[in-house]
Amino acid sequence: MNQVQITGRLTSEPTYRDGNTPSVNFTVAVQRNFKNKNGEYDADFIRCSAFGQRAETITQYFHKGSWIGLTGSWITGSYTDKQGNKVYTNELSVFGFEFGPNNKKSNNQANNQPQEQQNIDLSDDELPF
């Protein structure tokens, strides 16, 4: 089973693309649960994507600094860059998300988000793969 759950904050505004199937790409900073040798918590920066109604809802309600809980599957891939080097990619393909608590550092639009979980059913026809 390929199922991943993460919680964290968006590092920038989501990038929305409107096409046959709407999509959104964004990165979430996820704090590690242990301290490094300097006594500080490090973070991992997880690339994420969502499609269809999920993409539209995430774009509408989540902004830079917004807390988000995500459930999805881990997707790996690779490509060859311009210098001929093979580059490996990792990404969370989102199939569920939750709204988080309000954060004073978030912008006003993010502070007005509803405090409820969003479960959206999508048919296989709405997925781009």
Side-chain angles (χ1 to χ4, degrees):
M1 175 186 294
N2 180 357
Q3 184 167 332
V4 177
Q5 293 181 321
I6 64 171
T7 59
R9 295 192 180 276
L10 272 68
T11 61
S12 62
E13 290 297 313
T15 304
Y16 179 77
R17 289 186 188 90
D18 192 13
N20 290 339
T21 301
S23 67
V24 67
N25 294 303
F26 54 97
T27 300
V28 175
V30 179
Q31 182 176 305
R32 294 183 181 177
N33 62 355
F34 57 89
K35 294 180 181 181
N36 63 23
K37 64 182 179 181
N38 297 325
E40 299 171 346
Y41 290 101
D42 288 326
D44 293 302
F45 297 88
I46 310 295
R47 292 178 10 159
C48 304
S49 62
F51 303 93
Q53 182 62 45
R54 287 182 195 98
E56 294 171 354
T57 305
I58 288 170
T59 301
Q60 180 178 359
Y61 291 105
F62 293 92
H63 305 280
K64 181 178 180 178
S66 295
W67 184 96
I68 190 169
L70 298 168
T71 303
S73 56
W74 197 250
I75 307 296
T76 61
S78 65
Y79 65 92
T80 303
D81 67 12
K82 293 179 181 178
Q83 291 76 32
N85 300 315
K86 191 163 193 172
V87 178
Y88 294 94
T89 62
N90 293 284
E91 179 175 275
L92 180 65
S93 179
V94 175
F95 55 74
F97 61 90
E98 294 181 26
F99 289 91
N102 288 337
N103 181 340
K104 293 178 183 175
K105 293 181 182 177
S106 298
N107 64 32
N108 289 335
Q109 194 171 11
N111 285 336
N112 294 326
Q113 58 186 292
Q115 298 296 306
E116 61 186 54
Q117 182 175 351
Q118 292 287 317
N119 291 319
I120 300 170
D121 295 321
L122 294 177
S123 68
D124 288 340
D125 295 338
E126 293 182 273
L127 296 176
F129 46 89

